[in-house]
Amino acid sequence: MQQSTEEWQPIADGVWALSYQFSNMGMVISTRMTVIRLADGSLFSHSSVPLTPAQQAALDALGPLRHVVAPSAMHHMFVPALARLYPQASLYGTAGVLHKHPDLPQMQLIPQDESAAWAGQLQCLPVNGIPLLDETLWFHTSSGSLIATDLLQCWQGPLSLPVRMYLGLTGGHERLTVPRTVRLLVRDKAAVQACVRQIESLPVQRVILLHNSVITDQPLQRLREALSIWDSSNR
């Protein structure tokens, strides 16, 4: 099981991450906050985790956090706490996140055009066709990093028995895959396939997963294998 990291870990040039371990439905799991330095020196954060004063100070040393993104309707629990720490930051979320957080009236819908502060540096890829998931993938052009939330999972290392039992049902143990729980949520396969084609066209050098691992060994091949369940020939 990946433990909480006390310090920000460098992932690539201008990319850092912090993992946080917590209990959810009786399972001890980890989640990850990924931070990217934009061209103007400001920071963009994908997902949120609770920060200690030391972790906040270390984050501030990397640059001013100005953009906080909640990437899916399933991952937003720690956004209010981060918003309180950084009241000057702009908050963005999917439609599902906005619906779940009337307590954050300042939160905006994630912009999908050139008006975004990160335009030309980060590409937002909405996963259409799975409305309950309401997930967005993100691609950082300069580092070749694809950041995923729940659509893709690969749990590695020592894991607790409840987590191993859960992965026995959903998949994703030591292998990059789309969990069976996600596959069951698909409502428009053609829309998902269009998203898959877009993802597979990207020059991916690593896959940063919200849960547990970062894929650096043959990431594009493993990504295509995981997404092959939605190959257009599999109708």
Side-chain angles (χ1 to χ4, degrees):
M1 183 72 219
Q2 176 163 337
Q3 303 296 318
S4 301
T5 52
E6 292 297 324
E7 300 179 354
W8 291 92
Q9 305 295 311
I11 301 294
D13 187 25
V15 184
W16 299 267
L18 186 70
S19 292
Y20 176 73
Q21 196 177 79
F22 68 105
S23 179
N24 182 36
M25 298 176 62
M27 295 187 297
V28 178
I29 61 176
S30 66
T31 187
R32 174 179 281 111
M33 176 174 169
T34 302
V35 169
I36 295 172
R37 182 184 287 141
L38 301 180
D40 64 359
S42 67
L43 300 180
F44 165 102
S45 74
H46 174 281
S47 195
S48 302
V49 300
L51 301 180
T52 66
Q55 291 166 344
Q56 184 182 3
L59 178 61
D60 293 342
L62 299 177
L65 181 59
R66 293 184 182 153
H67 313 286
V68 174
V69 168
S72 87
M74 300 297 182
H75 287 275
H76 53 85
M77 179 167 47
F78 301 122
V79 173
L82 192 64
R84 287 191 292 272
L85 290 179
Y86 294 94
Q88 77 284 3
S90 297
L91 304 183
Y92 303 92
T94 65
V97 175
L98 267 65
H99 178 73
K100 292 180 178 181
H101 280 285
D103 58 315
L104 297 173
Q106 72 273 39
M107 182 177 279
Q108 311 168 49
L109 192 65
I110 298 171
Q112 300 293 326
D113 54 28
E114 293 301 312
S115 68
W118 50 79
Q121 302 171 69
L122 275 160
Q123 187 176 355
C124 177
L125 306 166
V127 182
N128 298 318
I130 316 178
L132 188 61
L133 198 65
D134 194 24
E135 179 171 340
T136 52
L137 274 70
W138 293 78
F139 182 68
H140 183 227
T141 306
S142 65
S143 72
S145 301
L146 181 70
I147 312 173
T149 306
D150 287 323
L151 182 75
L152 296 160
Q153 295 186 31
C154 179
W155 296 70
Q156 299 176 315
L159 301 169
S160 67
L161 179 60
V163 172
R164 294 200 307 271
M165 292 175 64
Y166 175 76
L167 293 175
L169 297 174
T170 67
H173 187 203
E174 300 290 345
R175 179 172 176 264
L176 185 64
T177 189
V178 177
R180 295 184 184 92
T181 48
V182 171
R183 302 179 204 180
L184 292 173
L185 297 177
V186 173
R187 293 295 175 266
D188 186 339
K189 185 177 177 181
V192 175
Q193 289 172 328
C195 180
V196 166
R197 289 192 294 271
Q198 190 177 14
I199 295 169
E200 292 180 337
S201 70
L202 299 171
V204 175
Q205 297 180 40
R206 69 183 51 77
V207 183
I208 302 174
L209 301 171
L210 193 80
H211 298 297
N212 188 265
S213 58
V214 177
I215 305 298
T216 56
D217 179 33
Q218 298 182 306
L220 195 52
Q221 177 182 331
R222 295 171 69 181
L223 181 63
R224 287 173 174 164
E225 288 174 354
L227 296 173
S228 65
I229 59 165
W230 288 314
D231 188 285
S232 58
S233 62
N234 297 332
R235 294 185 182 274

